[in-house]
Amino acid sequence: MSTWSTRLKELGIELPGVAAPLAAYVPATQSGPWVFTSGQLPFVEGKLPATGKVGAEVSPEEAKQYSATCILNALAAVHALVGIDSIKRVVKVVGFVASAEGFTGQPGVINGASELLGEIFGDAGKHARSAVGVAELPIGAPVEIELIVEV
């Protein structure tokens, strides 16, 4: 049986380091068989690749890629806490999109995260989801994602 870490290697994906919290919280916490991540921004090597609102400064296509980056950061937080191979299934994704006035494409943006989870976990990556448009996100991030997995 293949492991999730093997699957990541097959896809050429290396999990990043865990993003340092911006305030008083931990990146992930476990309660029973569930691991909950804090909201993850699309940090790459400690920096945001872009700031601004989707539908204005950031295109929906760019934001979709950033949501995939967010999910990799969330998986890194899970991995640091319990190990990626302990994941039984992805339960829920909550995505927040800093949205320009009139932008209603939040589901398409968060598909970047959902599609990557499907590539990595197959059927175990099918999840419930919310995609929410918001006025602002921390430090001007265009996207933020929370993840819940069963271990």
Side-chain angles (χ1 to χ4, degrees):
M1 181 177 142
S2 178
T3 62
W4 302 131
S5 53
T6 301
R7 179 68 181 142
L8 288 171
K9 285 180 188 163
E10 290 170 358
L11 293 170
I13 296 171
E14 188 173 324
L15 291 178
V18 178
L22 298 176
Y25 59 89
V26 295
T29 188
Q30 182 176 2
S31 180
W34 315 109
V35 174
F36 300 80
T37 71
S38 294
Q40 299 293 313
L41 303 179
F43 285 122
V44 176
E45 297 179 2
K47 296 179 182 163
L48 289 177
T51 58
K53 295 187 181 188
V54 181
E57 299 85 3
V58 178
S59 75
E61 296 78 19
E62 290 170 314
K64 183 177 178 182
Q65 293 174 342
Y66 299 148
S67 77
T69 301
C70 290
I71 212 66
L72 289 176
N73 289 336
L75 289 172
V78 172
H79 180 62
L81 185 67
V82 297
I84 193 90
D85 291 326
S86 68
I87 294 174
K88 290 182 181 173
R89 67 179 303 242
V90 177
V91 177
K92 185 158 186 185
V93 169
V94 180
F96 302 95
V97 180
S99 301
E101 187 173 339
F103 179 74
T104 60
Q106 294 83 6
V109 169
I110 303 306
N111 275 350
S114 295
E115 290 167 4
L116 183 55
L117 288 169
E119 280 186 60
I120 296 168
F121 296 102
D123 283 346
K126 293 180 179 174
H127 54 274
R129 188 180 91 174
S130 299
V132 182
V134 298
E136 300 288 342
L137 287 170
I139 63 172
V143 182
E144 180 175 359
I145 293 189
E146 298 175 3
L147 177 66
I148 302 170
V149 297
E150 181 182 2
V151 295

Tab-separated table of all heavy atoms in Angstrom, residues 9 16 28 30 53 57 61 68 78 81-82 97 106 111 120 122 129 133 149:
chain	number	residue	atom	x	y	z
A	9	LYS	N	5.744	12.427	-3.275
A	9	LYS	CA	6.972	12.276	-4.073
A	9	LYS	C	6.639	11.979	-5.525
A	9	LYS	O	7.262	12.518	-6.441
A	9	LYS	CB	7.856	11.179	-3.492
A	9	LYS	CG	8.575	11.592	-2.239
A	9	LYS	CD	9.444	10.480	-1.691
A	9	LYS	CE	9.996	10.878	-0.337
A	9	LYS	NZ	10.505	9.764	0.422
A	16	PRO	N	6.213	22.373	2.403
A	16	PRO	CA	7.052	23.464	2.920
A	16	PRO	C	7.233	23.326	4.426
A	16	PRO	O	6.594	22.489	5.069
A	16	PRO	CB	6.227	24.711	2.582
A	16	PRO	CG	4.811	24.227	2.575
A	16	PRO	CD	4.873	22.812	2.052
A	28	ALA	N	-1.579	23.946	14.136
A	28	ALA	CA	-2.546	22.844	14.084
A	28	ALA	C	-2.707	22.264	15.477
A	28	ALA	O	-1.782	22.317	16.288
A	28	ALA	CB	-2.086	21.762	13.107
A	30	GLN	N	-4.797	18.808	17.629
A	30	GLN	CA	-5.535	17.553	17.498
A	30	GLN	C	-6.516	17.413	18.646
A	30	GLN	O	-6.195	17.715	19.797
A	30	GLN	CB	-4.571	16.364	17.509
A	30	GLN	CG	-5.273	15.038	17.336
A	30	GLN	CD	-4.305	13.855	17.240
A	30	GLN	OE1	-3.096	14.010	17.344
A	30	GLN	NE2	-4.856	12.683	17.039
A	53	LYS	N	-6.932	42.179	-3.358
A	53	LYS	CA	-8.223	41.515	-3.485
A	53	LYS	C	-8.342	40.792	-4.812
A	53	LYS	O	-7.887	41.284	-5.852
A	53	LYS	CB	-9.349	42.529	-3.323
A	53	LYS	CG	-9.353	43.115	-1.924
A	53	LYS	CD	-10.531	43.992	-1.673
A	53	LYS	CE	-10.385	44.516	-0.240
A	53	LYS	NZ	-11.505	45.230	0.220
A	57	GLU	N	-6.580	43.446	-7.685
A	57	GLU	CA	-5.119	43.327	-7.781
A	57	GLU	C	-4.651	41.915	-8.105
A	57	GLU	O	-3.549	41.718	-8.624
A	57	GLU	CB	-4.441	43.776	-6.476
A	57	GLU	CG	-4.686	45.211	-6.089
A	57	GLU	CD	-5.974	45.438	-5.309
A	57	GLU	OE1	-6.695	44.457	-5.002
A	57	GLU	OE2	-6.273	46.600	-5.021
A	61	GLU	N	-7.288	33.352	-11.453
A	61	GLU	CA	-6.370	32.250	-11.780
A	61	GLU	C	-5.178	32.224	-10.827
A	61	GLU	O	-4.767	31.165	-10.358
A	61	GLU	CB	-5.888	32.374	-13.231
A	61	GLU	CG	-6.996	32.239	-14.264
A	61	GLU	CD	-7.872	33.498	-14.429
A	61	GLU	OE1	-7.453	34.620	-14.031
A	61	GLU	OE2	-9.001	33.347	-14.940
A	68	ALA	N	-3.956	26.587	-3.595
A	68	ALA	CA	-3.195	25.333	-3.552
A	68	ALA	C	-1.988	25.484	-2.630
A	68	ALA	O	-1.655	24.567	-1.869
A	68	ALA	CB	-2.765	24.917	-4.957
A	78	VAL	N	-0.231	19.889	9.532
A	78	VAL	CA	-0.706	18.566	9.954
A	78	VAL	C	0.479	17.607	10.071
A	78	VAL	O	0.620	16.880	11.062
A	78	VAL	CB	-1.761	18.010	8.964
A	78	VAL	CG1	-2.105	16.562	9.294
A	78	VAL	CG2	-3.018	18.873	8.976
A	81	LEU	N	2.564	17.986	13.136
A	81	LEU	CA	1.890	17.576	14.362
A	81	LEU	C	1.764	16.056	14.476
A	81	LEU	O	2.072	15.482	15.516
A	81	LEU	CB	0.499	18.225	14.441
A	81	LEU	CG	-0.288	17.999	15.728
A	81	LEU	CD1	0.385	18.708	16.903
A	81	LEU	CD2	-1.721	18.509	15.562
A	82	VAL	N	1.313	15.394	13.398
A	82	VAL	CA	0.994	13.957	13.497
A	82	VAL	C	1.604	13.111	12.383
A	82	VAL	O	1.471	11.883	12.407
A	82	VAL	CB	-0.540	13.722	13.520
A	82	VAL	CG1	-1.174	14.364	14.747
A	82	VAL	CG2	-1.201	14.194	12.237
A	97	VAL	N	-11.681	34.199	0.719
A	97	VAL	CA	-11.133	34.912	-0.429
A	97	VAL	C	-11.358	36.407	-0.217
A	97	VAL	O	-12.504	36.851	-0.107
A	97	VAL	CB	-11.805	34.452	-1.741
A	97	VAL	CG1	-11.230	35.201	-2.932
A	97	VAL	CG2	-11.666	32.938	-1.920
A	106	GLN	N	-15.585	32.907	-5.702
A	106	GLN	CA	-14.882	32.267	-4.592
A	106	GLN	C	-14.774	30.746	-4.753
A	106	GLN	O	-13.698	30.180	-4.505
A	106	GLN	CB	-15.540	32.608	-3.244
A	106	GLN	CG	-15.441	34.063	-2.856
A	106	GLN	CD	-16.502	34.948	-3.487
A	106	GLN	OE1	-17.428	34.481	-4.152
A	106	GLN	NE2	-16.377	36.256	-3.302
A	111	ASN	N	-11.201	25.975	-5.496
A	111	ASN	CA	-10.961	24.726	-6.228
A	111	ASN	C	-9.480	24.396	-6.333
A	111	ASN	O	-9.117	23.224	-6.441
A	111	ASN	CB	-11.559	24.796	-7.639
A	111	ASN	CG	-13.014	24.433	-7.673
A	111	ASN	OD1	-13.577	23.947	-6.692
A	111	ASN	ND2	-13.644	24.680	-8.800
A	120	ILE	N	-3.708	14.373	-4.459
A	120	ILE	CA	-2.875	13.718	-3.446
A	120	ILE	C	-3.590	12.526	-2.823
A	120	ILE	O	-3.019	11.434	-2.735
A	120	ILE	CB	-2.470	14.723	-2.338
A	120	ILE	CG1	-1.592	15.832	-2.924
A	120	ILE	CG2	-1.748	14.000	-1.192
A	120	ILE	CD1	-1.377	17.017	-1.987
A	122	GLY	N	-6.844	11.176	-3.539
A	122	GLY	CA	-7.866	10.415	-4.251
A	122	GLY	C	-9.203	10.513	-3.546
A	122	GLY	O	-9.606	11.593	-3.108
A	129	ARG	N	-16.969	21.548	2.113
A	129	ARG	CA	-16.221	22.775	1.888
A	129	ARG	C	-17.094	24.009	1.984
A	129	ARG	O	-18.275	23.984	1.668
A	129	ARG	CB	-15.607	22.720	0.491
A	129	ARG	CG	-14.655	23.850	0.216
A	129	ARG	CD	-14.087	23.741	-1.155
A	129	ARG	NE	-14.929	24.494	-2.094
A	129	ARG	CZ	-14.631	24.676	-3.362
A	129	ARG	NH1	-13.536	24.135	-3.867
A	129	ARG	NH2	-15.409	25.373	-4.136
A	133	GLY	N	-16.368	34.800	0.588
A	133	GLY	CA	-15.783	36.082	0.224
A	133	GLY	C	-15.741	36.992	1.433
A	133	GLY	O	-16.720	37.098	2.170
A	149	VAL	N	-8.780	17.284	9.073
A	149	VAL	CA	-8.549	15.913	8.613
A	149	VAL	C	-8.829	14.942	9.744
A	149	VAL	O	-8.758	15.288	10.914
A	149	VAL	CB	-7.109	15.699	8.073
A	149	VAL	CG1	-6.845	16.567	6.855
A	149	VAL	CG2	-6.066	15.931	9.153
